[in-house]
Amino acid sequence: MKKYIYISAISLCLCAVSCGYLDEEPYHYLTEEAALITEANYLKPSNMAYSFIPDGYNCVGNAFLDCATDDAMATASGSNVHKLARGNVSADSPILNPWANCYRGIHQALFAQYGLTTYKPFLAGKTEAAVEELLERYYNEMNALQALYGFILLQHYGGFPIIDEYMGLDDEEALEGKTRDTFADCVEHIVALCDSAANHLPVKLANSEVGRMTQGAALAIKAKTLVYAASPLYNQEGNTNPLIGYTAATVPSDYPEVTDRWKRAAAACAAVINLKGTGYALVAANNSAAFNTAIFNANGNCAEWIVMKTAAKNNSMENRHYPPSLSKNNGGGTVPTQDLVNAFTKSDGSDISVMTDGTATVYTGRDRRFDAFIAYEGCKTFASQIYTHIGDGATKDALNATTDHSTTTGYYLAKHLSPKINFTAASPGTYFHIWPIIRFSDIYLLYAEAMVNGYGDFNVDPEGYGLTALGAIQAIRKRAGYNASTDKFYNGITSAEDFMNKVVKRERRVELCFEGQRYFDLRRWLDAEEVLNKPVHGVEITKTGSNLAYKYFEADNRRTFTSNMYFSPIPKSVLKLNKAIQQNPGY
Amino acid sequence: MLSLLAIFLMTAQAAVAQEAPAKDSTVLDLSYRKVAKSDYNGSVFVVKGEDLMTSATTFLTEDLMGIVPGLMLRQSESGLESGNASYWIRGQRSPNNGVLVLVDGLERAFATLTAEEIESIQVLKDAAATGIYGMRAANGALLITTKKGISGKPKVDFAAQLILEDPIDSYEPLSSAGYAKHYNIAQLYDGLNPTYSEYDIFNYQQGTEGYADVAWRNKYFKKNWLLQRYNVNIKGGMKNATYFVNFGYLHQPGMFNTEKDLGYDTNNNADRYNYRSNITVDVTSSTHLNVDLYGWFKRENMPNTAATTLYNLLCKTPANAFPEYYWFKEGDTDQDGNLITPMGDKLVAGSTYNTNPWAYMNRSGYSRSMKMYGSLSAQLRQDLDVITPGLYAKLNFSLDSQTNSTIQRTRGYAYYTPIVDGLYQKTGNDGNLSNTVEGKSGNRYLTISGQIGYDRSFGRNNISAAASYEQFESSADNGVPNRYQSIYGYASYNYDHRYGIDVTGIYQGWYGFAPGHKFGFFPTVSAGWTISNEKFLKESKAINFLKLRASYGQIGNSRGVDQFTYKSQIKNVGSIFVTAQAMGTNLAGYYESNIANTSLTWENVRQLNVGLDASLFGDRLYFNFDWWKDNRDKSYTANNRISTLLGLNSEVSISSNIGATESSGWEIGGGLRDKIGKFGYRLGGTFTYAKNTLLKNGSLDEQFYYVSPIGFSHGRKLGYVVEGIFQSYEQIAAHATQNWSEVKPGDIMYKDINSDGVIDTNDRVPIGYNNIPEIFYGFNLGLSYGPVSLNLLFQGAAHVSHSLTEIDFEPFTSYTTIYSHQTQYWTPETPQYMLPRTTLGASSANNTQSSDLFVCDADYLRLKRVELAYNFKGGSCIYVSGYNLFTWSDYPYGDPEYSNGLSNIPVTRNISLGGRITF
């Protein structure tokens, strides 16, 4: 009997073995479904997708990308932007490296689209149709964002591997053999995303949604992409590498000639310009200060903005770029060159006299934008006057007074900066700094470029867009204080070629300085090798008593741009993983 | 090694004629089985509790250094809270280290046990020994058994010990004059005007009033401190029950010279209380009950919130930063003209650049942490001879719980900078002590298991087998309990104690793996041949014991795997996208914080072990030798091979089962012992060699094999080869381009390994070794004459290196001081020095690259333990002992085991006096 009691007791114990002991799931994990079904949360993945838009204030090593052009220099000697400016670029150390960030943005946008199509949120007080319409809209915002990230890749690398599907770890292997798509295909991919977005997005958004992608944004990305696609860099005769531009085989059949591509671009630009009156406009600026207050420090609902990086009010820009006497952490940062100073015309539209030692640079009676964008010896842009001279009464702001902070060219940056931040106050104050990616005047300038190159004349409008190339430039210069009839800027311009080289390029340089445009403009115009191999200049003003003596010097004489730099190198870390991805030539 | 063996053999032969010491009759107490060590085929080393009781240390881990073949340890901190040594069995064999520690069969920490309550520590090394623990013990296991009572009269054992700890300081900060001199030099070469005049430096040297020169560390960090340790236990028993009851107390005094009149203590003193009660009861003649209660309580006081922060401040604050305080005079005012009302009569000195260590210690309050651990385990064994002789069943239950909490009683304080006499710049305000409870945490462990076993001998056939079920869970304060579920068993057959074969197997699952990948089966097999039990050796006088054994197993390793990463997860990020008019709304976002890894599972481990145990010449010469090989694949490791095209968020890191490692090694432990009349001696040694090769991991393919970690050992350091220091701009221009920062004379010159004219990541080569040594050894000498005994243990490590941190070579970073070893930097006047030019600015990126200049071999040999004892009849004794007494090492930056810059309290050299009364 005892035997059986023991046996049954043991069997009982063994039966008590709990099944499902290991099946407990982590209850604190936020799952997709729980996260994306609610009204409060369903837009969060798309919000996140916007966070990958780069801002250019500290594009490279805390400096503007413009420091790698003839427009500017970085005061910090250790800034990586010097490497770029001096041609120190390799696949190992690409300096400009938006690759990972763009693909993160694309993945996040695809994830948002996956969420919007997989989980239908419950939205209070909305009909089925209204919900569908909203989902459609947000889905298309994500298309426009993908187009933007695609454009950034195109701008840097040429053709890139197109990713248009939401993927997980299990799809990772499929990516291993992925190659770059051709330049032509990438252009059409971006255009298609923009077309789809433009069809479903509101022209401009209500105040409560400023910052999101709009029809205007989609059309502007398309216009800019097409201007790039028509530009000399991508249309070089005899090119056989379809990744870095059109080849005989990849030229789009609808636009066989370069002029056709310019015309296509002009039409795309015109589509944006003709949104005028629906919330977009060239914002008026009746004096120099207004450029910053009305545009660069304006809130995001400014009519000038089309595509931008939004941000909350802050003063970090001022802290970094103010002259040292006004900054909290010693300032400096990005400083304009004498070369850029010379590019601004006088108030009658004529050039200032060529700089020679002993001759002063005339700072008064210049383009209205000059005072808005550049701070110079004795200027009254900021709360107190600043002085860059050396010699008697030299300040911290004087040329090379302190390492890494004082100007290295004799000038300071004024564009983007609010003059009203006071770092000695307990609360210094904050202002908006909305980084322009595409703004209305950019589109005007692109339009002028596309029209004059497409139709071979700067004063025609065969398609009836309502504006000529010349008209577009005049509109921009009007805001800078020029009257079209008296502006000497156009003196001697007769050919389309002159108009492009002397008017469009120079106006673009001035209007869009410190917006990260010129580096890519010089690349796409194939001008970079000519322009970026020259030294950049600064001014040394010496004060003796009340006398100022001017001397001009080479502020950086190591500027280098080699032919391979027309395209950025694909980072080596990318190539190590995706061995099928082709490197750009010369790296 | 061989010649040493030969000497042993010769000496041993001469000693054969003498009286033979007692034969080794160790019985292994494995958690699932008891077996005579001579019949066991796995690789196990046993340390007896009594060998640890007189050592001058506070942690059991420290006592194991150099006495266990196959076990490597490194102690890089001291103090009751974190002085525990790190340890590895047979080196690093996987990206995921970690040894299973079982105390009386259950997973528990063992460092807090006292030596007096330990019966034995068994070190399990090969698959045969660890396989039965499945995925938990692939890197080896430590099995600790505690003492049980014995039938008979109560036996009392009282032990008391004083331990004097003397920190081995690694760095010597310069005095104010030295600091000022070097600061001026740094400024000179930065192109700045020197801050300190000759007059200032003279005054620093003279100690003129108003010229602060505070030797912070030497003044406020004690030269030594005295720990006290007491332990008492009673064991005994009647016919049907036995007991072992133990109580221990350890006191560590504060290590700092703090103010005494604060009304509270800010020093880092600590107390620990241990208790244990192990009771066994024979309920009936066939039913045996075992109930163990164990726990400890630890209370630790800290200045502000951490003693390590204070130590760090004391070491790095410049001697001339400020005095500790200024004496308050009636009528002193601050910058706003307000009269100052200080706490006491001292005004805290300070500046914005450095925290005043004196104020951190005496004016910023204290914290007190309390930790409590309690455990109960019960085991019921029923002999089932009624069914068939040799059959038994066992039930185990154990419940452990730990709770921690810290009360922070910290306060803010004002500090003052003199402007003119009687007028101070005041910064901050004196605050009241806070009273917040921080760091409340706890863990609970619950184990339930049952076993049916069979143990019987039929003539010369010995059979033993058992089958078990076990579930184990540990749960922290939040989250799903960490769970293992297992069915396991073993079968053992042995013929005439000559030929034996054992198999073990476990079917085990872990909760964190992907569904369908949770459970695995892990078998092992081992065999042994005891040659000395064969007829032809049975009568041999020279060969007393000789056994050949081998084992092979396929097991798993679940350590290091991130639980639940088979599921995707979404994470909320606040304020990611600014929108709305005037950019007034900051929206939140969601991203995929984990991408589902649907094949998440264990690391596969295959282990082979061959061993030889011998005892010769009347058991005077003995050794055991093991050779092993360990192959792993599907190791869980960081996967950096995820294409950027997938676009994973930068916050997301992916680890997967993609690694592979191959390791092998050997270890030997042995000795010579004898007793000639009253004189006894013991010579012994251990030697461990463990080498691993990383076969696969998640790193990117490299153009040059030497840049890739593949084919090298784990922890391989990668860096540039230093050719020297640039002496001139011409030299820089002629050398391969170095692109990190603008290169100046005085910067480090690196070798262009691939000769492409540019120093880039492809010029890095493997340098040094892992910080886990490949070679670890110890040798001891024991002498006894009548009641007096002397033991010496030397211990060493080789093939080990440490990477220096910036504090090791770069003075003045973040307003820190300069140490004597940092003064040999390059200047045009001292071009021969190997440290790069010094600067007050941001350090030059060129000079902070990982390179062979900043990796140092840390081989060492230490006189680890010395114990001199006088033994009375009956077990009582008095002794003096030492720990870390002498060190021989070429490591240039302080202690070779101490490799953490200034963030820890350094290791100590100990001297101890103790006694034991047994009656």
Side-chain angles (χ1 to χ4, degrees):
Chain A
M1 188 57 210
K2 208 170 177 182
K3 199 170 181 170
Y4 298 111
I5 292 171
Y6 282 127
I7 289 174
S8 38
I10 292 160
S11 331
L12 210 65
C13 289
L14 287 177
C15 288
V17 168
S18 36
C19 295
Y21 183 65
L22 299 187
D23 294 344
E24 197 166 344
E25 295 256 310
Y27 36 76
H28 56 290
Y29 273 33
L30 187 56
T31 61
E32 270 172 16
E33 186 165 11
L36 299 180
I37 207 110
T38 64
E39 184 161 12
N41 294 334
Y42 81 107
L43 283 182
K44 283 185 176 174
S46 46
N47 294 343
M48 187 83 200
Y50 281 96
S51 71
F52 299 94
I53 300 179
D55 89 36
Y57 296 128
N58 39 20
C59 178
V60 182
N62 275 343
F64 286 75
L65 180 55
D66 302 71
C67 295
T69 72
D70 50 347
D71 280 357
M73 255 190 97
T75 56
S77 57
S79 173
N80 264 348
V81 83
H82 294 298
K83 293 186 189 170
L84 187 61
R86 292 165 188 172
N88 233 325
V89 170
S90 67
D92 231 350
S93 164
I95 314 291
L96 279 178
N97 188 2
W99 183 278
N101 195 59
C102 285
Y103 279 101
R104 280 180 194 135
I106 291 168
H107 175 82
Q108 183 68 29
L110 289 163
F111 172 59
Q113 288 184 331
Y114 156 82
L116 290 167
T117 49
T118 312
Y119 305 102
K120 197 168 185 181
F122 174 77
L123 306 180
K126 291 224 162 61
T127 62
E128 179 89 19
V131 173
E132 286 299 335
E133 203 185 309
L134 264 182
L135 295 183
E136 185 80 47
R137 190 194 125 191
Y138 290 119
Y139 186 91
N140 277 291
E141 276 188 15
M142 293 301 106
N143 277 342
L145 259 185
Q146 285 176 61
L148 176 61
Y149 295 128
F151 169 72
I152 296 170
L153 288 168
L154 189 83
Q155 197 183 24
H156 284 80
Y157 304 107
F160 56 90
I162 294 172
I163 300 291
D164 52 8
E165 270 177 284
Y166 169 63
M167 291 193 238
L169 278 190
D170 297 339
D171 308 306
E172 212 270 325
E173 271 176 32
L175 289 173
E176 256 173 44
K178 192 88 181 156
T179 55
R180 286 167 70 183
D181 288 285
T182 64
F183 177 80
D185 286 348
C186 290
V187 169
E188 298 312 320
H189 171 68
I190 295 168
V191 168
L193 286 167
C194 290
D195 284 342
S196 162
N199 284 336
H200 293 94
L201 293 177
V203 178
K204 178 122 185 173
L205 286 166
N207 287 339
S208 65
E209 292 187 297
V210 168
R212 290 188 178 278
M213 284 289 162
T214 57
Q215 189 186 87
L219 292 176
I221 296 165
K222 175 183 170 181
K224 198 154 184 172
T225 305
L226 289 175
V227 169
Y228 267 67
S231 297
L233 175 61
Y234 308 107
N235 293 281
Q236 298 183 60
E237 207 139 312
N239 174 42
T240 52
N241 183 348
L243 301 176
I244 59 164
Y246 290 114
T247 62
T250 61
V251 163
S253 53
D254 291 348
Y255 309 97
E257 297 302 321
V258 180
T259 47
D260 297 330
R261 277 164 246 153
W262 280 118
K263 286 174 190 167
R264 185 187 185 194
C269 292
V272 185
I273 291 175
N274 289 327
L275 294 174
K276 201 165 55 175
T278 55
Y280 297 104
L282 283 176
V283 171
N286 296 324
N287 53 56
S288 290
F291 278 92
N292 281 327
T293 51
I295 303 176
F296 303 107
N297 302 131
N299 77 50
N301 206 14
C302 165
E304 183 92 12
W305 300 110
I306 309 176
V307 181
M308 69 277 210
K309 171 74 173 179
T310 59
K313 280 186 177 183
N314 63 75
N315 58 26
S316 55
M317 276 292 292
E318 283 77 12
N319 191 22
R320 196 179 311 131
H321 297 288
Y322 262 3
S325 65
L326 301 173
S327 160
K328 184 174 64 177
N329 291 345
N330 302 328
T334 294
V335 292
T337 57
Q338 182 69 38
D339 311 82
L340 178 63
V341 168
N342 294 346
F344 288 80
T345 50
K346 293 200 273 195
S347 53
D348 62 356
S350 62
D351 284 348
I352 62 163
S353 48
V354 181
M355 50 187 187
T356 48
D357 286 354
T359 342
T361 303
V362 180
Y363 296 126
T364 51
R366 301 285 295 270
D367 187 315
R368 208 178 262 170
R369 291 168 293 189
F370 181 69
D371 270 46
F373 296 171
I374 294 172
Y376 49 85
E377 164 78 10
C379 78
K380 294 172 179 162
T381 312
F382 301 114
S384 50
Q385 266 180 289
I386 59 142
Y387 298 97
T388 62
H389 67 257
I390 56 174
D392 293 350
T395 64
K396 272 210 278 192
D397 302 337
L399 182 69
N400 292 327
T402 62
T403 14
D404 292 353
H405 297 291
S406 298
T407 181
T408 51
T409 58
Y411 298 99
Y412 286 99
L413 181 70
K415 196 176 188 177
H416 299 290
L417 306 182
S418 166
K420 293 179 183 154
I421 307 288
N422 177 5
F423 285 110
T424 52
S427 45
T430 53
Y431 271 85
F432 290 111
H433 301 92
I434 308 301
W435 176 255
I437 293 171
I438 308 179
R439 62 184 175 104
F440 218 47
S441 65
D442 186 6
I443 296 289
Y444 266 72
L445 290 160
L446 294 174
Y447 177 77
E449 189 179 341
M451 286 297 280
V452 72
N453 285 304
Y455 298 104
D457 191 335
F458 54 84
N459 211 359
V460 295
D461 177 20
E463 304 290 333
Y465 296 133
L467 191 68
T468 63
L470 180 62
I473 299 293
Q474 284 168 342
I476 302 289
R477 287 183 67 82
K478 189 179 166 204
R479 182 165 64 177
Y482 295 98
N483 185 326
S485 57
T486 59
D487 192 349
K488 292 184 182 164
F489 190 48
Y490 315 107
N491 284 0
I493 305 293
T494 49
S495 68
E497 205 183 354
D498 271 2
F499 186 82
M500 177 65 198
N501 287 334
K502 295 184 177 157
V503 174
V504 176
K505 287 182 179 176
R506 181 154 166 201
E507 190 58 24
R508 205 172 157 79
R509 178 182 187 185
V510 168
E511 172 72 12
L512 300 178
C513 64
F514 304 109
E515 295 186 35
Q517 301 280 0
R518 185 163 173 79
Y519 187 76
F520 293 110
D521 286 339
L522 289 172
R523 293 210 313 196
R524 68 183 175 88
W525 292 331
L526 279 173
D527 287 347
E529 268 176 293
E530 194 200 322
V531 176
L532 298 183
N533 277 315
K534 290 181 188 155
V536 293
H537 299 85
V539 62
E540 183 188 282
I541 308 172
T542 313
K543 190 170 187 181
T544 327
S546 61
N547 181 43
L548 297 177
Y550 287 71
K551 225 177 101 189
Y552 302 92
F553 64 96
E554 291 182 353
D556 184 359
N557 58 12
R558 292 198 272 159
R559 293 298 179 106
T560 308
F561 187 97
T562 48
S563 61
N564 60 346
M565 288 170 69
Y566 279 111
F567 293 91
S568 305
I570 311 250
K572 197 176 225 171
S573 54
V574 171
L575 299 178
K576 279 179 184 171
L577 263 169
N578 290 89
K579 298 200 177 68
I581 288 182
Q582 310 90 317
Q583 179 57 285
N584 275 326
Y587 291 104
Chain B
M1 204 64 214
L2 275 175
S3 57
L4 204 63
L5 204 66
I7 297 166
F8 276 12
L9 286 168
M10 273 148 46
T11 333
Q13 249 158 352
V16 165
Q18 302 296 325
E19 181 192 1
K23 198 178 172 105
D24 184 19
S25 57
T26 310
V27 174
L28 297 177
D29 190 357
L30 307 175
S31 61
Y32 57 95
R33 175 189 185 191
K34 278 191 176 140
V35 57
K37 189 165 183 297
S38 55
D39 284 340
Y40 190 64
N41 302 323
S43 179
V44 176
F45 189 87
V46 184
V47 178
K48 298 249 170 61
E50 62 233 41
D51 293 341
L52 311 173
M53 289 195 293
T54 54
S55 93
T57 59
T58 45
F59 286 102
L60 280 174
T61 42
E62 298 166 5
D63 299 337
L64 296 178
M65 297 227 184
I67 62 170
V68 182
L71 181 67
M72 299 158 155
L73 303 100
R74 184 181 70 232
Q75 190 198 3
S76 49
E77 300 181 54
S78 65
L80 207 49
E81 187 55 31
S82 47
N84 206 359
S86 311
Y87 49 89
W88 305 267
I89 292 174
R90 293 180 170 174
Q92 175 160 16
R93 291 175 278 166
S94 159
N96 300 300
N97 285 316
V99 167
L100 177 72
V101 177
L102 298 178
V103 177
D104 291 327
L106 298 157
E107 188 160 353
R108 288 165 183 156
F110 80 109
T112 40
L113 297 174
T114 59
E116 281 82 2
E117 62 191 313
I118 290 190
E119 179 67 40
S120 71
I121 296 177
Q122 301 168 99
V123 183
L124 275 50
K125 297 185 282 195
D126 69 343
T130 62
I132 204 151
Y133 305 107
M135 299 182 270
R136 296 162 67 190
N139 304 323
L142 294 175
L143 252 56
I144 290 103
T145 51
T146 59
K147 287 178 178 160
K148 300 273 186 280
I150 37 166
S151 293
K153 274 207 308 195
K155 200 167 175 200
V156 180
D157 178 274
F158 175 77
Q161 187 178 15
L162 299 174
I163 305 172
L164 189 71
E165 291 194 341
D166 166 19
I168 306 173
D169 290 323
S170 302
Y171 301 94
E172 203 46 56
L174 293 195
S175 69
S176 289
Y179 175 88
K181 204 180 96 201
H182 288 283
Y183 195 90
N184 280 352
I185 295 173
Q187 282 181 314
L188 182 67
Y189 295 110
D190 278 349
L192 303 168
N193 290 327
T195 298
Y196 303 98
S197 64
E198 284 300 319
Y199 179 73
D200 291 335
I201 295 174
F202 175 78
N203 280 315
Y204 280 132
Q205 280 163 347
Q206 296 299 309
T208 313
E209 190 172 345
Y211 287 84
D213 187 6
V214 187
W216 294 104
R217 192 194 58 199
N218 293 348
K219 195 165 172 187
Y220 292 105
F221 185 58
K222 289 183 182 168
K223 296 273 175 295
N224 51 55
W225 49 84
L226 191 64
L227 282 92
Q228 300 171 51
R229 196 171 78 81
Y230 303 97
N231 195 82
V232 60
N233 59 56
I234 307 173
K235 61 182 170 186
M238 311 88 195
K239 195 175 156 239
N240 295 329
T242 67
Y243 58 88
F244 171 80
V245 180
N246 187 69
F247 182 79
Y249 170 69
L250 179 66
H251 173 73
Q252 173 198 281
M255 301 170 181
F256 301 95
N257 292 316
T258 58
E259 296 234 304
K260 297 284 172 249
D261 54 359
L262 295 171
Y264 49 81
D265 188 4
T266 59
N267 220 335
N268 67 330
N269 53 52
D271 298 285
R272 191 182 73 199
Y273 304 86
N274 279 51
Y275 64 89
R276 168 174 299 282
S277 161
N278 291 354
I279 312 269
T280 49
V281 180
D282 296 336
V283 182
T284 70
S285 60
S286 67
T287 311
H288 313 282
L289 178 68
N290 189 154
V291 179
D292 294 352
L293 287 171
Y294 159 69
W296 47 261
F297 172 70
K298 189 158 71 178
R299 188 175 54 206
E300 197 193 24
N301 210 57
M302 285 162 282
N304 191 285
T305 52
T308 46
T309 310
L310 176 56
Y311 178 73
N312 188 267
L313 284 177
L314 288 172
C315 289
K316 74 179 192 188
T317 307
N320 69 339
F322 29 67
E324 296 91 324
Y325 46 79
Y326 307 104
W327 290 107
F328 170 69
K329 291 189 303 293
E330 211 57 54
D332 283 347
T333 56
D334 66 15
Q335 69 273 30
D336 298 331
N338 300 319
L339 283 175
I340 296 171
T341 47
M343 181 180 159
D345 52 1
K346 289 167 185 162
L347 298 179
V348 174
S351 81
T352 45
Y353 305 115
N354 294 100
T355 303
N356 181 339
W358 181 86
Y360 186 90
M361 184 163 66
N362 294 317
R363 290 290 182 271
S364 72
Y366 68 103
S367 298
R368 183 164 288 181
S369 90
M370 252 119 19
K371 294 184 180 171
M372 191 158 178
Y373 190 97
S375 82
L376 161 76
S377 45
Q379 187 185 79
L380 185 69
R381 179 188 159 112
Q382 178 65 53
D383 294 333
L384 296 171
D385 294 336
V386 287
I387 298 172
T388 178
L391 190 67
Y392 65 89
K394 273 203 295 201
L395 272 179
N396 294 295
F397 169 85
S398 91
L399 183 63
D400 288 29
S401 169
Q402 180 174 353
T403 56
N404 306 327
S405 81
T406 304
I407 303 166
Q408 285 183 2
R409 308 212 67 209
T410 55
R411 59 188 288 270
Y413 59 88
Y415 65 80
Y416 301 86
T417 321
I419 300 170
V420 290
D421 193 36
L423 177 64
Y424 291 91
Q425 172 87 31
K426 177 184 175 190
T427 312
N429 286 302
D430 287 319
N432 293 323
L433 288 181
S434 67
N435 194 13
T436 51
V437 181
E438 291 283 330
K440 278 178 288 189
S441 65
N443 280 293
R444 284 155 290 284
Y445 310 87
L446 179 65
T447 310
I448 297 169
S449 68
Q451 187 180 32
I452 294 176
Y454 182 69
D455 251 319
R456 202 169 166 191
S457 300
F458 302 93
R460 289 177 171 173
N461 301 289
N462 306 302
I463 295 168
S464 171
S468 311
Y469 168 81
E470 182 179 287
Q471 58 184 48
F472 164 76
E473 74 174 51
S474 71
S475 46
D477 284 341
N478 46 33
V480 178
N482 178 0
R483 285 175 173 166
Y484 285 95
Q485 187 176 31
S486 330
I487 296 168
Y488 60 91
Y490 77 93
S492 165
Y493 171 75
N494 169 305
Y495 176 75
D496 193 24
H497 302 289
R498 273 190 281 166
Y499 314 105
I501 181 161
D502 289 1
V503 291
T504 71
I506 180 166
Y507 181 69
Q508 187 181 51
W510 183 57
Y511 80 136
F513 294 141
H517 298 270
K518 281 192 203 288
F519 281 90
F521 179 69
F522 307 105
T524 76
V525 59
S526 59
W529 176 30
T530 312
I531 308 165
S532 53
N533 284 350
E534 294 287 353
K535 277 200 183 75
F536 56 89
L537 279 179
K538 201 112 198 178
E539 301 306 319
S540 166
K541 281 232 165 53
I543 298 173
N544 310 93
F545 183 76
L546 188 63
K547 177 169 178 173
L548 198 57
R549 56 188 159 74
S551 74
Y552 179 76
Q554 293 193 337
I555 54 183
N557 182 17
S558 64
R559 280 173 197 276
V561 177
D562 296 310
Q563 60 190 38
F564 303 135
T565 43
Y566 64 83
K567 288 177 80 77
S568 67
Q569 204 183 351
I570 294 204
K571 193 172 170 188
N572 188 64
V573 213
S575 310
I576 194 73
F577 173 44
V578 179
T579 178
Q581 185 172 26
M583 297 294 130
T585 312
N586 218 335
L587 297 173
Y590 271 152
Y591 72 93
E592 300 155 283
S593 59
N594 185 54
I595 313 289
N597 174 359
T598 51
S599 53
L600 185 70
T601 191
W602 59 85
E603 175 184 48
N604 277 332
V605 185
R606 290 169 301 280
Q607 289 174 344
L608 175 66
N609 191 90
V610 178
L612 179 70
D613 302 327
S615 188
L616 310 171
F617 311 117
D619 293 322
R620 285 177 183 87
L621 177 68
Y622 59 96
F623 67 87
N624 34 60
F625 172 84
D626 281 278
W627 173 89
W628 56 270
K629 205 163 163 51
D630 183 305
N631 273 294
R632 306 199 177 200
D633 60 11
K634 289 174 86 178
S635 302
Y636 186 71
T637 186
N639 187 350
N640 297 321
R641 304 183 68 94
I642 308 288
S643 170
T644 44
L645 297 179
L646 196 55
L648 300 186
N649 195 290
S650 54
E651 306 291 314
V652 179
S653 59
I654 302 281
S655 289
S656 345
N657 295 91
I658 50 167
T661 306
E662 186 180 75
S663 348
S664 63
W666 55 271
E667 65 239 6
I668 188 165
L672 187 62
R673 61 187 164 200
D674 202 359
K675 202 156 189 215
I676 306 159
K678 276 188 171 177
F679 176 71
Y681 69 90
R682 202 166 66 166
L683 273 169
T686 67
F687 188 90
T688 304
Y689 177 73
K691 172 126 187 85
N692 66 76
T693 308
L694 185 62
L695 299 181
K696 231 178 122 193
N697 75 356
S699 64
L700 297 177
D701 293 343
E702 296 290 345
Q703 191 184 346
F704 298 95
Y705 77 95
Y706 51 80
V707 182
S708 163
I710 306 304
F712 297 95
S713 64
H714 279 279
R716 180 282 307 256
K717 295 170 179 68
L718 194 61
Y720 297 93
V721 176
V722 173
E723 286 193 312
I725 299 285
F726 283 119
Q727 303 292 342
S728 65
Y729 280 106
E730 292 73 52
Q731 205 180 0
I732 294 169
H735 190 264
T737 318
Q738 297 182 182
N739 263 331
W740 297 282
S741 55
E742 201 178 338
V743 185
K744 294 178 181 170
D747 282 345
I748 299 175
M749 186 201 312
Y750 299 106
K751 191 170 180 188
D752 186 8
I753 300 290
N754 62 2
S755 309
D756 62 353
V758 179
I759 307 295
D760 59 18
T761 50
N762 284 332
D763 295 305
R764 294 170 304 165
V765 297
I767 41 180
Y769 293 93
N770 196 355
N771 58 5
I772 302 171
E774 277 182 2
I775 291 172
F776 201 82
Y777 58 93
F779 47 92
N780 67 294
L781 167 69
L783 299 169
S784 63
Y785 185 79
V788 182
S789 66
L790 173 70
N791 281 298
L792 297 165
L793 172 71
F794 293 86
Q795 181 263 314
H799 288 196
V800 54
S801 22
H802 293 315
S803 299
L804 305 183
T805 55
E806 281 176 23
I807 195 90
D808 293 316
F809 55 84
E810 212 179 353
F812 309 124
T813 47
S814 330
Y815 309 108
T816 54
T817 188
I818 176 167
Y819 305 91
S820 55
H821 67 269
Q822 294 175 336
T823 56
Q824 304 208 321
Y825 53 80
W826 183 93
T827 66
E829 286 74 42
T830 54
Q832 74 277 18
Y833 285 157
M834 270 312 284
L835 288 178
R837 70 189 167 89
T838 189
T839 171
L840 296 179
S843 58
S844 152
N846 184 77
N847 296 340
T848 50
Q849 301 296 320
S850 164
S851 75
D852 59 357
L853 187 60
F854 301 135
V855 171
C856 284
D857 279 351
D859 296 3
Y860 68 89
L861 172 65
R862 280 192 142 138
L863 176 54
K864 199 79 188 175
R865 285 165 63 181
V866 175
E867 282 141 36
L868 176 66
Y870 186 90
N871 303 292
F872 300 98
K873 279 210 169 69
S876 301
C877 69
I878 51 168
Y879 60 89
V880 286
S881 58
Y883 177 73
N884 277 349
L885 289 186
F886 292 101
T887 304
W888 297 269
S889 174
D890 289 334
Y891 189 67
Y893 299 100
D895 193 83
E897 280 187 85
Y898 172 66
S899 55
N900 291 310
L902 298 171
S903 47
N904 299 328
I905 308 272
V907 292
T908 57
R909 182 185 292 120
N910 303 350
I911 291 176
S912 154
L913 174 68
R916 169 179 317 283
I917 301 167
T918 306
F919 55 87

